[in-house]
Amino acid sequence: MIGPYLRLIRMDRPIGTFLLLWPTLWALWLAGDGSPDPTVVLIFVAGTFVMRAAGCAINDYADRHIDAHVARTSNRPLATGELLPWQALATFGVLLAVAFALVWQLNALTIWLSVAGALVAVVYPFTKRVTHLPQLVLGVAFSWGIPMAYAAVGGRLPVEALVLFLANFAWIVAYDTQYAMADREDDVLIGVKSTAILFGRWDNLAVGLLHLAALAVLYGIGWQRGFGWHYDLGLLSAAAFAVYQQYLCRNRDRDLCFRAFLNNNWFGAMVFAGIVLGLLGPG
């Protein structure tokens, strides 16, 4: 019986965990000047996994009447009846308790930020019914690890935390629009809203501009820090993956748009590699 629970929290699809983890690692390394406390890093890695799992549980609860009508989500355990709604809520509650137990080991500012982040995570799944901009809410939810990381490492929120938050926010809206492009036909039929529907035929242009904005802001952080060409190489590699995603999405093919979304794991990894190398020294 554990299988449906593992699928509920997407153990078989770790991409969401990686997309949530990369920006958190960006922030930890920047806030810690390349040497963040290993204990704090472990807490954030574990917390990222737990909160992503919790987000999946509450998302499937919110979408329990929708998922069966979308090709890509029709086999989710609530859609198939393998789990009942109360079981998804109970799973969410247990995981949220574990997440708070982890963050309780950190300072007060980080704890208070975690409360706000949990509220955003709960609200997000319901926004796709009332606005074409649920990706913006996800952008906040999936960027929340950034201010928490700066708070945990330094006990404060410097301007750089906000700047990195904005860069990550743009990247998230870009890749979640690609995700929504894969479901657009089904979403239109059942009345679910998204930026993919809002942007229409300008969807790829919007995604490209968002990727460009994210990279520009990330470059600004490196310039302010005095990072050398190693960091720039990381950003150029990330840009190459963004261009490849444009190629995949050129005909709006459902499967290829989803592949483009998955490819963002490499975008995040290249940015992290650039940050690590940039912090090792200039030149």
Side-chain angles (χ1 to χ4, degrees):
M1 186 60 182
I2 193 172
Y5 284 98
L6 293 178
R7 287 191 288 114
L8 174 71
I9 63 173
R10 310 290 194 275
M11 282 292 289
D12 57 332
R13 295 176 182 241
I15 180 62
T17 302
F18 289 128
L19 293 176
L20 188 57
L21 181 60
W22 288 126
T24 304
L25 294 177
W26 303 349
L28 286 169
W29 255 254
L30 286 170
D33 289 323
S35 301
D37 184 332
T39 300
V40 173
V41 173
L42 287 174
I43 290 172
F44 271 86
V45 170
T48 295
F49 169 79
V50 172
M51 278 308 298
R52 192 263 175 159
C56 290
I58 194 66
N59 181 81
D60 283 13
Y61 173 79
D63 288 350
R64 64 192 183 279
H65 301 306
I66 294 174
D67 282 344
H69 304 286
V70 178
R72 189 180 48 77
T73 61
S74 60
N75 65 341
R76 288 180 177 174
L78 264 69
T80 61
E82 296 172 85
L83 293 179
L84 298 175
W86 73 264
Q87 292 172 302
L89 284 177
T91 301
F92 173 73
V94 169
L95 290 168
L96 201 60
V98 173
F100 276 124
L102 287 168
V103 79
W104 201 257
Q105 303 172 66
L106 303 172
N107 59 41
L109 177 57
T110 311
I111 293 170
W112 281 113
L113 285 170
S114 73
V115 174
L119 291 174
V120 177
V122 171
V123 169
Y124 160 68
F126 300 95
T127 58
K128 65 188 76 173
R129 292 154 183 75
V130 297
T131 176
H132 280 98
L133 301 171
Q135 281 69 31
L136 271 63
V137 184
L138 184 71
V140 174
F142 263 48
S143 297
W144 208 255
I146 292 173
M148 285 182 62
Y150 276 89
V153 172
R156 64 189 186 91
L157 296 177
V159 173
E160 184 179 86
L162 174 60
V163 176
L164 187 63
F165 184 99
L166 293 174
N168 192 57
F169 179 85
W171 177 44
I172 292 169
V173 177
Y175 69 62
D176 203 49
T177 297
Q178 293 170 332
Y179 186 88
M181 288 167 67
D183 294 337
R184 178 160 43 197
E185 294 179 10
D186 294 327
D187 287 348
V188 169
L189 290 175
I190 61 180
V192 170
K193 299 175 173 62
S194 72
T195 48
I197 296 171
L198 178 65
F199 293 149
R201 65 192 182 96
W202 304 106
D203 48 6
N204 281 327
L205 176 62
V207 168
L209 290 174
L210 286 163
H211 270 134
L212 183 62
L215 289 165
V217 176
L218 288 167
Y219 178 80
I221 291 174
W223 177 81
Q224 181 67 29
R225 286 266 189 159
F227 289 162
W229 64 268
H230 305 91
Y231 178 74
D232 297 340
L233 182 60
L235 295 189
L236 283 172
S237 300
F241 282 112
V243 171
Y244 174 61
Q245 292 164 28
Q246 286 286 317
Y247 172 77
L248 289 175
C249 293
R250 66 194 186 284
N251 295 322
R252 280 79 172 182
D253 177 85
R254 181 194 298 256
D255 293 335
L256 292 179
C257 287
F258 190 68
R259 275 181 56 189
F261 160 73
L262 295 175
N263 186 261
N264 279 278
N265 180 44
W266 292 106
F267 183 103
M270 291 302 100
V271 174
F272 180 59
I275 289 171
V276 171
L277 293 173
L279 286 164
L280 289 177

